[in-house]
């Protein structure tokens, strides 16, 4: 594997070149980000809608869990194969297919008439989102270079942060506008006009694939690798996404099975790479910034995503906030994340991984200050008391996600951008599932029973999440000490 991406027929001109081609690249990126925003929004927007979904469809607790976890499971399952498919065939065609399927799945979810219907629609929706998302990072690698690529990843990082944090607010607003009976349907149906508008724009603006001759060495799809990775991912995620419903200790037997399957996957990929292009080229992990970035994403998303899960539960179940009020309370994080991500995209070329270290320190300070605010002002004023700490944590998060994506993928060849981005996204999804399970178990241990202590449950959950962010900080500091180069 070469140290830096090689230029191809679809590579952009050097950064700084203005004109119609440059404007077209940014318009193409805007379409990608809108589509990516929809898929990532649906990870968090459903949280505040669960009480009305349960009432509207008379769902069981297990069914509600699958509405959440089924999406995450299907999403994570197809990320890497879909990224590889985009690399090997046509990234534009795969993107358009994923966008069309996601729009259709959103319509089916919004029209659900039973628990089984909604769960199947969410599985379909998650798989479609997993097809679409790795193409976004692949297009950024294809369309941008140098400092422009950092700014493009900054925009992607802002999109990730916004979609995660604004989901509860938008969900609460839709339920408030359309009422508890049908408001939950609009949580899904809101994707329809966006998807319908984005499809023709994506077809017109996204670049076509490179000539077949240029991709001749990358057309293999590695079906054995797909099966091993898929089975290993399911075995790894299932005990965590079903942690609240599957109480038997037997579920943890899936973890050694996952380790065996993923070990077999690594061995197969190394063997397959001797003859053909594998699903994931293990040489990627010999590049230190890539390996460090994937590890950092895994542990950071475990802490970062879990905060929204327990904070929303604390506000709605513990303090009886409405869905809209709970969403508004999380908005400072979204604002801080969006603003800082744009700034981080511009600074990462100069500061490198040191910028990520600074962001992680801000996240830690913001999280611990949030826990302290809840201890002092638990009650109706909690939303106001946590506003500034969440703003600080959000700003730190914006300096972590976007710069880390840039640094992780900057030395990946364009021909492997989709599969490399898929691995990074899979690490984020696995981290999210594991973090919610770990932090959630600590939270529920103190939020259940006849006299639950919601404030203490939130504080302890935040402490565990902060510990996971601290592990991410250790990874980032180790990368800097090993010789991070901006």
């Amino acid at each position: 594997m070469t140290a830096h991406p090689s230029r191809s027929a679809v590579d952009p001109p050097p950064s700084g070149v203005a004109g119609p081609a440059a404007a077209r690249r940014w318009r193409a990126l805007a379409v990608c980000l809108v589509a990516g925003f929809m898929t990532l929004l649906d990870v968090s927007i459903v949280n505040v809608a669960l009480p009305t979904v349960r009432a509207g469809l008379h769902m069981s607790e297990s069914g509600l869990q699958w509405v959440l976890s089924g999406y995450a499971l299907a999403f994570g399952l197809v990320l890497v194969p879909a990224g590889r498919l985009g690399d090997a065939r046509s990234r534009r065609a795969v993107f358009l297919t994923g966008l069309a399927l996601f729009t259709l799945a959103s319509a089916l979810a919004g029209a659900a008439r039973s628990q089984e219907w909604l769960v199947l629609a969410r599985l379909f929706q998650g798989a479609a989102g997993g097809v679409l998302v790795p193409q976004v990072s692949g297009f950024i690698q294809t369309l941008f270079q140098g400092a422009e690529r950092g700014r493009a990843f900054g925009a992607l990082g802002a999109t990730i942060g916004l979609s995660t944090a604004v989901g509860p607010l938008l969900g609460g607003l839709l339920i408030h506008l359309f009422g508890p009976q049908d408001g939950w349907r609009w949580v899904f149906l809101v994707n329809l006009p966006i998807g319908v508008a984005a499809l023709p724009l994506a077809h017109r603006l996204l670049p076509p694939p490179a000539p077949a001759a240029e991709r001749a060495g990358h057309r293999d799809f590695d079906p054995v690798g797909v099966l091993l990775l898929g089975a290993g991912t399911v075995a790894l995620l299932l005990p965590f996404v079903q942690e609240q419903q599957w109480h038997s200790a037997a579920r943890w037997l899936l973890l050694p099975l996952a380790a065996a399957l993923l070990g077999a996957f690594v061995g197969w990929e190394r063997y397959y790479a001797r003859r053909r292009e594998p699903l994931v080229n293990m040489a990627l992990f010999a590049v230190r910034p890539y390996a460090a970035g994937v590890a950092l994403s895994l542990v950071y998303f475990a802490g970062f995503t879990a905060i929204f899960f327990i904070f929303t539960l604390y506000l709605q179940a513990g303090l009886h906030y409405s869905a809209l009020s709970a969403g508004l309370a999380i908005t400072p994080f979204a604002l801080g994340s969006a603003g800082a991500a744009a700034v981080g995209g511009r600074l990462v070329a100069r500061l490198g991984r040191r910028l990520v270290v600074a962001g992680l320190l801000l996240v830690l300070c913001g999280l611990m200050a949030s826990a302290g605010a809840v201890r002092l002002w638990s009650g109706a004023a909690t939303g106001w008391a946590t506003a500034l700490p969440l703003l600080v944590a959000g700003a730190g998060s914006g300096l972590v996600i976007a710069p880390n994506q840039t640094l992780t993928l900057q030395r990946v060849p364009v021909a492997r951008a989709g599969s490399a981005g898929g691995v990074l996204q899979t690490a984020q999804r696995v981290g999210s599932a594991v973090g919610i399970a770990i932090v959630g178990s600590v939270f529920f241990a103190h939020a259940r029973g006849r006299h639950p202590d919601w404030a203490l449950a939130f504080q302890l959950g935040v402490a565990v999440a902060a510990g996971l962010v601290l592990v991410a900080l250790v990874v980032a500091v180790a990368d800097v000490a090993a010789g991070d180069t901006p």
Side-chain angles (χ1 to χ4, degrees):
M1 189 179 73
T2 56
H4 296 278
S6 58
R7 292 190 53 103
S8 70
V10 295
D11 279 343
S15 297
V17 176
R24 184 183 180 91
R25 289 201 304 275
W26 289 102
R27 288 196 296 269
L29 175 65
V31 174
C32 288
L33 295 183
V34 167
F37 180 85
M38 283 198 307
T39 64
L40 296 171
L41 180 74
D42 270 55
V43 176
S44 61
I45 194 173
V46 177
N47 283 327
V48 297
L50 288 180
T52 56
V53 172
R54 182 173 191 173
L57 293 180
H58 307 290
M59 295 189 72
S60 65
E61 285 193 12
S62 177
L64 286 175
Q65 181 67 25
W66 271 104
V67 168
L68 287 175
S69 62
Y71 183 91
L73 191 64
F75 194 101
L77 182 62
V78 302
L79 279 167
V80 177
R84 177 71 193 119
L85 183 62
D87 292 340
R89 301 294 191 264
S90 166
R91 193 166 285 132
R92 181 174 68 176
V94 176
F95 180 94
L96 290 171
T97 300
L99 180 56
L101 293 176
F102 188 85
T103 305
L104 174 61
S106 298
L108 292 173
R113 291 293 181 270
S114 67
Q115 171 175 294
E116 294 75 18
W117 181 335
L118 183 58
V119 168
L120 289 174
R122 284 288 284 175
L123 288 168
F124 181 19
Q125 195 183 32
V131 169
L132 191 156
V133 164
Q135 315 313 321
V136 176
S137 59
F139 275 123
I140 291 176
Q141 294 285 90
T142 300
L143 292 169
F144 300 96
Q145 289 184 322
E148 272 195 340
R149 184 176 288 175
R151 291 196 293 274
F153 273 119
L156 177 59
T159 301
I160 293 172
L162 265 178
S163 62
T164 305
V166 83
L169 173 61
L170 181 57
L173 181 61
L174 290 169
I175 291 170
H176 178 75
L177 290 175
F178 293 99
Q181 184 64 32
D182 293 316
W184 68 267
R185 297 187 184 277
W186 286 96
V187 164
F188 305 110
L189 295 177
V190 71
N191 294 324
L192 267 63
I194 302 173
V196 169
L199 274 167
L201 290 173
H203 184 270
R204 181 165 63 88
L205 292 172
L206 296 179
E214 291 189 27
R215 295 180 290 117
H218 299 279
R219 295 183 65 86
D220 297 312
F221 194 57
D222 186 10
V224 174
V226 170
L227 289 173
L228 287 172
L229 180 60
T233 301
V234 170
L236 177 61
L237 284 177
L238 196 57
F240 293 103
V241 299
Q242 284 287 286
E243 196 266 343
Q244 293 299 316
Q245 298 301 323
W246 189 1
H247 299 295
S248 171
R251 69 183 186 274
W252 301 117
L253 295 177
L254 287 175
L255 295 186
L257 175 62
L261 288 168
L262 294 175
F265 169 74
V266 171
W268 170 260
E269 295 299 275
R270 293 186 184 280
Y271 167 75
Y272 196 77
R274 298 173 193 166
R275 303 178 299 148
R276 298 179 180 180
E277 182 68 18
L279 180 66
V280 177
N281 195 311
M282 292 298 148
L284 287 170
F285 293 94
V287 180
R288 179 175 47 79
Y290 183 79
V294 171
L296 191 150
S297 284
L298 178 70
V299 289
Y300 177 68
F301 270 75
F304 156 70
T305 313
I307 291 298
F308 301 104
F309 177 67
I310 63 172
F311 193 45
T312 302
L313 284 173
Y314 170 51
L315 293 176
Q316 288 190 272
L319 301 181
H320 308 293
Y321 274 43
S322 67
L324 178 58
S325 297
L328 285 170
I330 300 174
T331 301
F333 191 103
L335 296 176
S337 179
V343 174
R346 295 178 180 275
L347 295 178
V348 65
R350 185 163 73 250
L351 299 178
R353 191 73 72 185
R354 294 186 294 276
L355 185 63
V356 178
V357 170
L360 289 166
L361 288 170
L362 282 176
V363 173
L364 281 171
C365 291
L367 291 184
M368 298 314 295
S370 297
V374 167
R375 182 176 181 83
L376 295 174
W377 292 287
S378 180
T382 295
W384 292 105
T386 56
L388 182 58
L390 287 177
L391 181 68
V392 172
S397 188
L399 298 179
V400 173
I401 296 175
N404 185 61
Q405 294 232 145
T406 304
L407 296 167
T408 303
L409 299 175
Q410 67 179 349
R411 299 183 187 178
V412 172
V414 171
R416 294 176 185 148
S419 57
V423 170
L424 181 61
Q425 289 280 346
T426 301
Q428 293 172 358
R429 300 281 71 79
V430 170
S432 296
V434 173
I436 287 173
I438 294 173
V439 176
S441 64
V442 173
F443 177 86
F444 286 122
H446 295 83
R448 284 178 174 157
R450 296 181 63 183
H451 303 288
D453 190 337
W454 293 97
L456 179 61
F458 177 72
Q459 292 161 27
L460 293 176
V462 167
V464 175
L468 293 167
V469 175
L470 182 61
V471 175
L473 177 62
V474 171
V475 174
V477 169
D479 191 44
V480 172
D484 171 46
T485 55

